[in-house]
């Protein structure tokens, strides 16, 4: 029996057996895709705070390593021996201080903007109604004859909707309202709990960084061949470099773009220039989509609060700044680290956002850049192998 299992026929059947097994597994996965997707969604929702903690720890590891090197150079053995812990403590205190200063500066500005928006709401509403009146006066083509927007009818319908809701406020509406309030409080509590998990996991990851890396290298070396281990380490270093470059360049570029847009909006007289500039700078971390969405939000706010005319004047200016940033500033900052086509960036960001949310959008570009490097190396290897086979000398006459 053992001799039969080791025979040439049985060995030749192994690939077909593996193929049949893969088809069966794929068939079952497709058949239960809904359950599989739901289970994966629950799993991803559970580990998301730890993934954000990993991202924050990765970013904070840069200043932490800097302070660790400084502390190791001290002549105090107690501090030098515990340099990692003291470095983490210094970075955490500095981070909390920066957050406190930012909140102390940003929250009052946001509150003043909200109060201003509420106080000026009637003026904004009147400006919107005047815009509708001007639209009704346009000389439209014949096929749009009879087009008319009645603002009074819209306001009456909206008022009637609220009146009917409160007039028919029964137990069902009360249950809906309670469920809505409960979901809001539940979301706030869940966000706070996830924030605490992110903060705690970030501290532990920073403290145990060297041990985690050593364990990952050890287990990878134990389960893989030497060439495979060298391959994994090579592209792990490349991925690490890509993440560092991406965080650095997007942060600098976001500061530049946010500052320019803030100045433009301030010159235009927008009372919300600080908040809109901050939103543009933060959204710039998401390639292509981020700056477009941020600019659209800024233009909508300007159109609603200052009038459509000013928004139309700002549109080409903001478009020019975006083009300047995308075609000159970003390429200068990134160099050749992320030489990806715009279509590939859009597809990768979309897929990353669909499967992993904001975290997937932030991680998509560095990961896709490494995958592209791997494919380029593989294609170069295959092309060189084919070229070598083509240029190889022919076999001697008596070879056959």
């Amino acid at each position: 029996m053992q001799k039969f299992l080791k025979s040439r026929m049985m060995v030749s059947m192994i690939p077909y057996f593996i193929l049949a097994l893969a088809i069966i597994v794929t068939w079952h996965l497709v058949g239960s895709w809904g359950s599989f997707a739901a289970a994966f969604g629950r799993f991803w929702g559970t580990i998301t705070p730890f993934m954000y903690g990993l991202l924050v720890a990765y970013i904070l590891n840069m200043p932490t390593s800097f302070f660790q090197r400084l502390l190791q150079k001290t002549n105090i053995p107690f501090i030098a021996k515990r340099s990692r812990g003291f470095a983490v403590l210094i970075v955490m205190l500095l981070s909390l201080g920066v957050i406190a200063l930012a909140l102390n500066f940003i929250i009052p500005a946001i509150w003043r903007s909200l109060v201003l928006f509420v106080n000026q709401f009637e003026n904004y509403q009147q400006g919107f109604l005047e815009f509708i009146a001007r639209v009704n006066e346009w000389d439209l083509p014949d096929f749009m004859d009879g087009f008319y927007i009645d603002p009074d009818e819209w306001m009456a319908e909206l008022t009637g909707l609220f009146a009917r809701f409160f007039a028919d406020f029964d137990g069902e509406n009360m249950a809906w309202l309670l469920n809505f309030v409960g979901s809001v409080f539940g979301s706030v509590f869940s966000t706070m709990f996830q924030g605490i998990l992110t903060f705690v996991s970030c501290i532990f990851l920073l403290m145990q960084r060297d041990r985690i890396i050593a364990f990952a290298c050890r287990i990878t070396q134990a389960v893989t061949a030497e060439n495979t281990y060298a391959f994994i380490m090579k592209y792990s270093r490349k991925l690490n470099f890509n993440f560092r470059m991406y965080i650095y360049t997007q942060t600098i570029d976001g500061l530049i773009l946010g500052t320019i847009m803030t100045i433009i909006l301030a010159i235009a007289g927008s009372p919300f220039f600080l908040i809109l500039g901050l939103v543009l700078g933060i959204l710039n971390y998401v390639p292509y989509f981020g700056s477009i969405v941020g600019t659209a939000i800024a233009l909508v706010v300007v159109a609603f609060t200052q009038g459509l005319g000013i928004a139309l004047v700002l549109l080409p200016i903001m478009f020019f700044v975006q083009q300047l940033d995308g075609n000159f500033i970003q390429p200068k900052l990134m160099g050749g680290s992320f030489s990806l086509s715009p279509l590939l960036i859009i597809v990768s960001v979309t897929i990353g956002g669909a499967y992993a949310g904001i975290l997937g959008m932030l991680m998509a570009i560095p990961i896709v850049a490494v995958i592209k490097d791997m494919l380029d190396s593989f294609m170069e290897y295959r092309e060189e192998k084919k070229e070598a086979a083509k240029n190889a000398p022919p076999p001697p006459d008596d070879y056959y």
Side-chain angles (χ1 to χ4, degrees):
M1 183 67 178
Q2 187 176 5
K3 184 177 180 181
F4 173 74
L5 292 175
K6 293 183 178 180
S7 63
R8 181 179 298 179
M9 183 183 70
M10 288 301 298
V11 172
S12 64
M13 292 295 292
I14 290 178
Y16 299 100
F17 173 76
I18 295 176
L19 178 62
L21 182 63
I23 293 174
I24 294 172
V25 171
T26 304
W27 176 264
H28 280 284
L29 286 177
V30 171
S32 58
W33 175 252
S35 302
F36 177 77
F40 178 78
R42 288 194 296 270
F43 173 75
W44 179 256
T46 303
I47 67 170
T48 295
F50 302 100
M51 296 301 294
Y52 279 112
L54 177 61
L55 178 62
V56 175
Y58 183 86
I59 296 172
L60 294 182
N61 179 63
M62 302 176 193
T64 301
S65 299
F66 170 76
F67 284 112
Q68 184 180 6
R69 288 191 296 269
L70 288 181
L71 293 173
Q72 286 174 346
K73 295 178 181 179
T74 60
N75 296 324
I76 305 175
F78 179 80
I79 295 178
K81 187 177 180 180
R82 298 166 178 81
S83 58
R84 185 69 184 180
F86 281 112
V88 172
L89 178 62
I90 292 172
V91 170
M92 284 298 165
L93 291 176
L94 289 176
S95 300
L96 292 175
V98 170
I99 292 173
L101 288 175
L103 292 179
N104 188 49
F105 175 70
I106 293 172
I107 287 182
I110 294 176
W111 177 253
R112 287 194 299 269
S113 299
L114 290 175
V115 171
L116 178 63
F117 181 82
V118 172
N119 292 335
Q120 298 292 328
F121 182 78
E122 292 185 1
N123 296 332
Y124 302 149
Q125 181 183 5
Q126 184 62 32
F128 181 69
L129 294 177
E130 292 176 357
F131 170 73
I132 292 178
R134 288 196 298 270
V135 170
N136 290 330
E137 295 174 358
W138 287 352
D139 188 11
L140 300 175
D142 294 337
F143 68 90
M144 297 184 66
D145 188 26
F147 176 80
Y148 180 76
I149 302 175
D150 189 352
D152 295 332
E153 182 180 349
W154 281 20
M155 294 299 297
E157 183 65 28
L158 185 62
T159 305
L161 179 65
F162 281 102
R164 288 192 300 270
F165 177 81
F166 287 105
D168 301 332
F169 198 81
D170 52 12
E172 184 178 351
N173 290 334
M174 182 59 128
W176 175 86
L177 184 59
L178 291 176
N179 288 332
F180 176 75
V181 174
S183 64
V184 170
F185 279 101
S187 299
V188 172
F189 176 78
S190 176
T191 302
M192 293 176 60
F193 181 71
Q194 290 185 355
I196 294 173
L197 284 180
T198 299
F199 179 75
V200 173
S201 61
C202 171
I203 294 177
F204 279 102
L205 288 168
L206 283 173
M207 292 292 297
Q208 303 294 323
R209 168 188 172 270
D210 296 334
R211 293 184 181 180
I212 294 171
I213 293 176
F215 176 77
C217 294
R218 182 182 176 187
I219 194 171
T220 304
Q221 192 172 18
V223 300
T224 58
E226 185 176 349
N227 293 337
T228 305
Y229 176 75
F231 176 85
I232 293 174
M233 294 305 296
K234 173 186 175 181
Y235 285 101
S236 296
R237 287 190 290 269
K238 179 68 175 177
L239 184 62
N240 179 45
F241 174 78
N242 284 353
F243 272 118
R244 284 176 177 270
M245 282 297 299
Y246 183 78
I247 293 170
Y248 169 76
T249 55
Q250 291 301 101
T251 301
I252 299 299
D253 186 62
L255 289 173
I256 295 173
L257 183 64
T259 302
I260 294 174
M261 291 296 192
T262 300
I263 294 173
I264 292 173
L265 291 168
I267 294 174
S270 174
F272 311 105
F273 65 93
L274 181 62
I275 296 176
L276 295 176
L278 181 65
V279 169
L280 276 163
I282 294 175
L283 289 178
N284 191 63
Y285 276 99
V286 181
Y288 282 90
F289 295 110
S291 60
I292 293 174
V293 172
T295 303
I297 292 173
L299 290 173
V300 169
V301 172
V302 170
F304 189 69
T305 57
Q306 296 179 265
L308 183 63
I310 297 179
L312 292 176
V313 171
L314 290 178
L315 177 60
I317 299 174
M318 289 187 167
F319 178 77
F320 172 75
V321 172
Q322 274 192 341
Q323 294 301 308
L324 179 66
D325 176 71
N327 294 294
F328 180 75
I329 299 176
Q330 277 192 357
K332 288 293 183 182
L333 290 173
M334 291 185 176
S337 302
F338 303 102
S339 55
L340 304 175
S341 67
L343 179 61
L344 184 58
I345 292 176
I346 292 173
V347 171
S348 60
V349 170
T350 303
I351 295 175
Y355 284 94
I358 298 176
L359 187 63
M361 289 183 176
L362 297 177
M363 298 173 63
I365 303 303
I367 292 175
V368 170
V370 169
I371 295 174
K372 181 178 177 295
D373 288 343
M374 294 170 63
L375 291 176
D376 289 340
S377 299
F378 174 75
M379 287 187 291
E380 289 176 2
Y381 166 76
R382 295 296 299 174
E383 289 169 355
E384 291 175 359
K385 191 173 181 179
K386 287 184 178 181
E387 189 67 24
K390 188 195 312 183
N391 297 329
D397 295 336
D398 58 349
Y399 179 79
Y400 300 101

